[in-house]
């Protein structure tokens, strides 16, 4: 099985743009779809991005994602940061029916 | 309303058993794969298991194989997680999700149920 590596934490000011990376350890990043989930403190996870770059219903256009085969990584970009974006973000892919999560990135908006 | 509602969490001693339930409403339950995901205190999300629409295919994370069993009853619009031989490290909030290999555009998450395993 492969691993997905994310930065432990990132921080940025309101109104700015932040990018969270997710690097796949083996196998091509394009081999399987990458998803991104948001989990705010005390809440359930929610789907933000699915199938590499598709925004889930209701997710603002400020959220975008992509994959890069040259770096074997995926990235989630949030522009025009708002305090409500403060949360843990997880990338996820799969092998067969087995899910693989990244370790999660704590986004602080200060 | 389209929703998933988990129940069955609680406090159990190490070595004990617990059965989690997740009831779906507002959608055709039998048309979807279902999954269980957990988050232990201070840790990140961990996928636990998933089950195919008719229950014929089940997949587990290695750490729970042989101890946990996922099942479903489409007539009751419910998916279950039977957890045996529980360990302290199984302590987590358990979420059910309307997801298969991944959560797509029709994904749905429950509110979670807390399982605490004491030593």
């Amino acid at each position: 099985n492969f691993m997905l590596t994310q930065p432990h934490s990132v921080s940025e000011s309101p109104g700015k743009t932040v990018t969270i990376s997710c690097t796949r350890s083996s196998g091509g990043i394009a081999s399987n779809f990458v998803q991104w989930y948001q989990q705010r403190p005390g809440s359930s996870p929610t789907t933000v991005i699915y199938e590499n770059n598709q925004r889930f219903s209701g997710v603002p256009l400020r959220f975008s994602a992509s994959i890069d085969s040259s770096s074997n990584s995926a990235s989630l970009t949030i522009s025009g940061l708002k305090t409500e974006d403060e949360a843990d973000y997880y990338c996820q892919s799969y092998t067969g029916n087995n899910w693989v999560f990244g370790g999660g990135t704590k986004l602080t908006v200060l | 309303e389209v929703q998933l509602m988990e129940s069955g969490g609680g406090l159990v001693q190490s070595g004990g058993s617990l059965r989690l339930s997740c009831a779906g409403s507002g959608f055709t339950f039998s048309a979807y794969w279902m999954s269980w995901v957990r988050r232990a205190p201070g840790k990140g999300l961990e996928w636990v298991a998933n089950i195919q629409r008719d229950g014929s295919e089940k997949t587990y994370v290695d750490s729970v194989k042989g101890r946990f069993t996922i099942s479903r009853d489409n007539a009751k619009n419910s998916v279950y997680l039977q957890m045996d031989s529980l360990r302290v490290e199984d302590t987590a909030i358990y979420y059910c999700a309307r997801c298969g290999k991944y959560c797509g555009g029709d994904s749905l998450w429950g509110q979670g149920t807390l399982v605490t395993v004491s030593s």
Side-chain angles (χ1 to χ4, degrees), chain A residues 82-97:
Chain A
K82 300 184 175 183
T83 54
E84 68 204 45
D85 299 331
E86 189 160 291
D88 295 325
Y89 290 85
Y90 297 86
C91 60
Q92 178 261 327
S93 192
Y94 51 92
T95 174
N97 293 334

Side-chain angles (χ1 to χ4, degrees), chain A residues 8 39 88 90 102-104, chain B residues 38-46 89 91-92:
Chain A
H8 181 69
Q39 188 172 30
D88 295 325
Y90 297 86
Chain B
R38 66 185 178 183
R39 185 170 186 183
K43 300 286 186 66
L45 294 176
E46 180 183 37
E89 55 264 36
T91 295

Side-chain angles (χ1 to χ4, degrees), chain A residues 39 44 47 51 88 97 99, chain B residues 39 50 57 95 100 102 107 110:
Chain A
Q39 188 172 30
S44 303
T47 305
E51 294 176 2
D88 295 325
N97 293 334
W99 294 26
Chain B
R39 185 170 186 183
N50 56 26
E57 191 172 352
Y95 302 96
Y102 59 89
S107 60

Side-chain angles (χ1 to χ4, degrees), chain A residues 10-87:
Chain A
V10 294
S11 62
E12 190 49 271
S13 304
K16 299 292 189 179
T17 296
V18 70
T19 297
I20 299 172
S21 62
C22 170
T23 302
R24 179 167 171 158
S25 62
S26 61
I29 191 71
S31 300
N32 310 93
F33 288 132
V34 176
Q35 284 57 240
W36 291 90
Y37 306 108
Q38 177 194 68
Q39 188 172 30
R40 294 188 175 106
S43 296
S44 303
T46 61
T47 305
V48 178
I49 297 286
Y50 65 97
E51 294 176 2
N52 297 337
N53 56 16
Q54 302 299 300
R55 267 184 304 277
F56 190 73
S57 177
V59 172
L61 294 174
R62 303 185 294 106
F63 289 77
S64 63
S66 62
I67 61 169
D68 180 0
S69 295
S70 65
S71 60
N72 215 34
S73 64
S75 60
L76 173 69
T77 299
I78 310 171
S79 59
L81 276 169
K82 300 184 175 183
T83 54
E84 68 204 45
D85 299 331
E86 189 160 291

Side-chain angles (χ1 to χ4, degrees), chain A residues 37 47 99, chain B residues 32-35 50-51 97-104 107-109:
Chain A
Y37 306 108
T47 305
W99 294 26
Chain B
Y32 294 90
W33 281 68
M34 296 296 295
S35 299
N50 56 26
I51 186 167
R98 191 179 72 181
C99 304
K101 298 184 182 193
Y102 59 89
C103 291
S107 60
L108 180 66
W109 293 78

Side-chain angles (χ1 to χ4, degrees), chain B residues 38 48-49 60-69 87 90:
Chain B
R38 66 185 178 183
V48 176
Y60 302 90
V61 69
D62 285 348
S63 61
V64 309
K65 282 180 183 176
R67 301 189 300 122
F68 290 12
T69 303
R87 304 168 180 168
D90 295 318

